[in-house]
Amino acid sequence: MGIEDILAEFDNEKRTGTESPGWKNLFDELCQEAIRIGMELNNQYHTPEELREIMGRLTGKKVDDTFRMFPPFYTDFGKNITIGKDVFINSGCHFQDQGGIEIGDGALIGHNVVLATINHDLNPKENRKNHYAPIKIGAHVWIGSNATILPGVTIGDWAVVAAGAVVTQDVPTMTVVGGVPAKMLKVVKELSGIIPTEEKEERYESAV
């Protein structure tokens, strides 16, 4: 029994639904480890280098030297977070990452953002069974303060999520969304030098 078995049960394409006592014991250990590391992270000053080392232990992956973060930071599991290069996470963010959180290069995540990858079953017979779905944040995405991203959402490259938005559906590349639930507000048209010419029309069409 290892971390791969835990992650497989969070993946709808791989899960067997037969969570053994060994699975549950390891899952509980990993959650408690995340709590311990989170307490270490949030309750005293750390240099940027120390923060990267701590985040590496929390996620189980090496964090790039360009990563920046202002604590506090909260997560319930930690080992299903993947962080790209030149990512900045501002203070007070909550990542519920069991379903998987992937953050692309150059993403900016504002104060108090919530990334939630778990839903509970509505049917009382299922006793609020967990349902997992990953969140994928593209390159150079900007998520404003107090936004909430719900399970299964993919945010395209260079998109912007306005402060306070609740995002329930995928966000196309190069668009701005806001509101509760979030709706498209505008298309970012400054594509020159960022996206090759042959891709511009296709991306506009997918965003409108």
Side-chain angles (χ1 to χ4, degrees), residues 146-149 160-168 176-185:
N146 296 297
T148 298
I149 315 299
V160 177
V161 176
V166 177
V167 184
T168 62
V176 181
V177 300
V180 181
K183 297 181 180 180
M184 186 181 300
L185 302 179

Side-chain angles (χ1 to χ4, degrees), residues 153-157 159-161 167 169-177 182:
V153 168
T154 294
I155 301 178
D157 296 351
V160 177
V161 176
V167 184
Q169 301 180 61
D170 290 354
V171 177
T173 297
M174 300 293 289
T175 60
V176 181
V177 300

Side-chain angles (χ1 to χ4, degrees), residues 77-94:
F77 184 66
K79 296 298 188 292
N80 214 3
I81 300 172
T82 301
I83 301 172
K85 297 179 180 180
D86 199 28
V87 169
F88 173 65
I89 299 175
N90 219 325
S91 61
C93 290
H94 293 249

Side-chain angles (χ1 to χ4, degrees), residues 104-127:
D105 295 347
L108 304 174
I109 301 179
H111 294 92
N112 303 317
V113 166
V114 175
L115 305 182
T117 66
I118 304 175
N119 271 325
H120 297 291
D121 205 298
L122 294 178
N123 187 343
K125 292 182 180 179
E126 295 293 341
N127 193 29

